[in-house]
Amino acid sequence: FCRRIFKARKYIGKCCLIMENRLKKGLGRGLSSLLGDTPKKINTNKISIKDINRNKLQPRKYIDKSSLEELTNSIKEQGVIQPIVVRPDKSSEGKYEIVAGERRWLASQNAGLHEVPVVILDIDDSKSLEFAIVENVQRQDLNPIEEARGYKRLIDDFNYNQEKLSQFIGKSRSYIANSLRLLSLPEEVLSMVEQGNLSAGHARSLIGLNNSVDIAKKIIQKKLSVRQSEILVRQFRNKKFKLVSKKDPNILDLQKALEEKVGLIVSINNKKDNSGTISFEYQDLDQLNRLIDTIKKNY
């Protein structure tokens, strides 16, 4: 029994040390970059929940109700472990605006708390948006569209470029570019991604299509994988698609069945005497090897 108590105390002590180190390091990469490379002492305070306002620059627009409920239950049992980061609200004297930790603030209200621990920083709008994006990306709290819009705002309003964003966020430049490309899609498709009906991978395959909304609906209706969606989209991009669509419906069904089986574009050319050819379109050696393996396993 004594050993169990000792181990429990040791574990709690370790957790406290981890939290202390997080505070000393600025609650993660984002805050440390706000404070600079020189070590600074970070003081935590407790202030009234009523004195805290939402962040007008918050990139996240959707909050999952189930995850918020889980956080609320956790706060009821353990309290707010990680302080909320705030800054003085210039529009309301004596009030503070959330920089990071909106979910903790909302969950604390749901848990019936009157005060919450905070770290108060004196930072401008640019730094506030920077940290809000970094924290949310690190926690994976943003959906792909919210993330892309956050990046776009840093570029449009705060003179960032993709290279600077890449260095600050800790993502590759191609990742930033692909994220921003999503915003070229119609609003209806963007809403499908925000609501979780389409993944970013599905959405990227639709970029540049005039009928992207209709195809997105088909992808959702048929519950296609990203690979299957790419095959469908390539058919629409193919200049010969109109000719293919005039084929016998049975042949088209066979093509579709084969495409779903091998994950490649398939073309069946059936002549009047029922002779013909079947062709498979592959992009690299990996796809060719996968096709050969599929044929060997099944025939």
Side-chain angles (χ1 to χ4, degrees):
F1 179 73
C2 291
R3 286 181 181 178
R4 289 181 181 177
I5 293 176
F6 175 76
K7 286 182 179 179
R9 292 177 67 180
K10 187 176 180 181
Y11 174 77
I12 293 171
K14 186 177 180 180
C15 291
C16 292
L17 182 61
I18 290 172
M19 289 309 304
E20 182 180 353
N21 288 335
R22 282 184 178 177
L23 285 174
K24 287 180 179 178
K25 291 179 180 178
L27 302 177
R29 181 172 176 264
L31 185 52
S32 64
S33 66
L34 291 175
L35 298 175
D37 296 329
T38 56
K40 297 186 180 183
K41 185 178 180 181
I42 301 176
N43 295 320
T44 59
N45 303 280
K46 277 201 169 186
I47 61 176
S48 172
I49 284 181
K50 294 180 180 179
D51 291 335
I52 300 175
N53 297 325
R54 289 176 180 270
N55 184 350
K56 61 180 180 291
L57 300 172
Q58 171 61 258
R60 185 183 60 241
K61 303 302 178 185
Y62 295 90
I63 296 179
D64 183 72
K65 291 182 179 180
S66 61
S67 65
L68 184 62
E69 187 176 345
E70 289 176 4
L71 183 56
T72 299
N73 293 333
S74 174
I75 288 175
K76 284 180 180 179
E77 293 181 8
Q78 303 177 30
V80 182
I81 297 175
Q82 186 169 326
I84 298 168
V85 182
V86 299
R87 63 173 180 161
D89 191 338
K90 296 178 181 179
S91 61
S92 302
E93 189 174 351
K95 303 287 186 179
Y96 296 90
E97 182 183 77
I98 297 172
V99 175
E102 183 175 345
R103 287 177 68 252
R104 275 166 275 157
W105 175 64
L106 291 171
S108 296
Q109 294 180 68
N110 294 341
L113 300 187
H114 300 291
E115 291 184 329
V116 288
V118 299
V119 172
I120 302 174
L121 299 178
D122 187 12
I123 55 176
D124 59 19
D125 286 353
S126 174
K127 292 298 181 183
S128 178
L129 180 58
E130 283 177 357
F131 186 59
I133 290 174
V134 168
E135 193 211 34
N136 282 308
V137 169
Q138 288 176 343
R139 293 173 180 271
Q140 298 181 334
D141 281 345
L142 298 179
N143 66 56
I145 305 307
E146 290 171 336
E147 185 178 348
R149 283 175 173 153
Y151 295 155
K152 189 175 187 302
R153 186 158 191 181
L154 283 172
I155 291 172
D156 292 346
D157 297 346
F158 301 106
N159 299 317
Y160 271 69
N161 55 38
Q162 291 186 20
E163 184 64 31
K164 186 178 177 182
L165 263 177
S166 172
Q167 294 174 357
F168 182 79
I169 302 296
K171 302 281 188 180
S172 68
R173 189 169 179 176
S174 61
Y175 177 92
I176 301 294
N178 284 330
S179 179
L180 290 168
R181 287 177 66 227
L182 291 174
L183 299 180
S184 64
L185 289 164
E187 281 298 325
E188 193 171 347
V189 177
L190 297 183
S191 295
M192 295 176 192
V193 179
E194 287 181 310
Q195 294 165 13
N197 297 320
L198 277 181
S199 71
H202 287 106
R204 273 193 292 271
S205 69
L206 300 172
I207 294 173
L209 285 178
N210 293 328
N211 55 345
S212 58
V213 175
D214 293 332
I215 297 178
K217 290 177 180 178
K218 287 183 180 179
I219 290 172
I220 295 172
Q221 182 182 4
K222 296 183 178 181
K223 299 180 180 179
L224 300 182
S225 67
V226 173
R227 181 174 293 278
Q228 290 169 336
S229 300
E230 289 172 348
I231 292 171
L232 177 64
V233 168
R234 279 201 294 269
Q235 289 179 336
F236 277 94
R237 294 187 193 279
N238 192 335
K239 293 179 181 179
K240 297 180 181 179
F241 179 77
K242 291 183 180 179
L243 295 176
V244 173
S245 64
K246 293 180 182 179
K247 289 181 178 178
D248 184 288
N250 294 323
I251 297 297
L252 291 174
D253 287 340
L254 286 173
Q255 281 186 183
K256 182 180 176 182
L258 282 173
E259 286 174 344
E260 291 177 351
K261 182 73 175 177
V262 298
L264 300 173
I265 294 177
V266 178
S267 178
I268 300 177
N269 294 315
N270 189 56
K271 299 177 182 178
K272 291 182 178 180
D273 61 355
N274 288 328
S275 65
T277 60
I278 299 177
S279 63
F280 298 85
E281 182 181 327
Y282 59 88
Q283 303 296 324
D284 51 45
L285 287 178
D286 288 338
Q287 289 187 349
L288 175 59
N289 289 331
R290 187 165 59 249
L291 172 62
I292 292 171
D293 289 341
T294 301
I295 294 174
K296 285 181 177 180
K297 288 177 182 178
N298 291 279
Y299 301 99

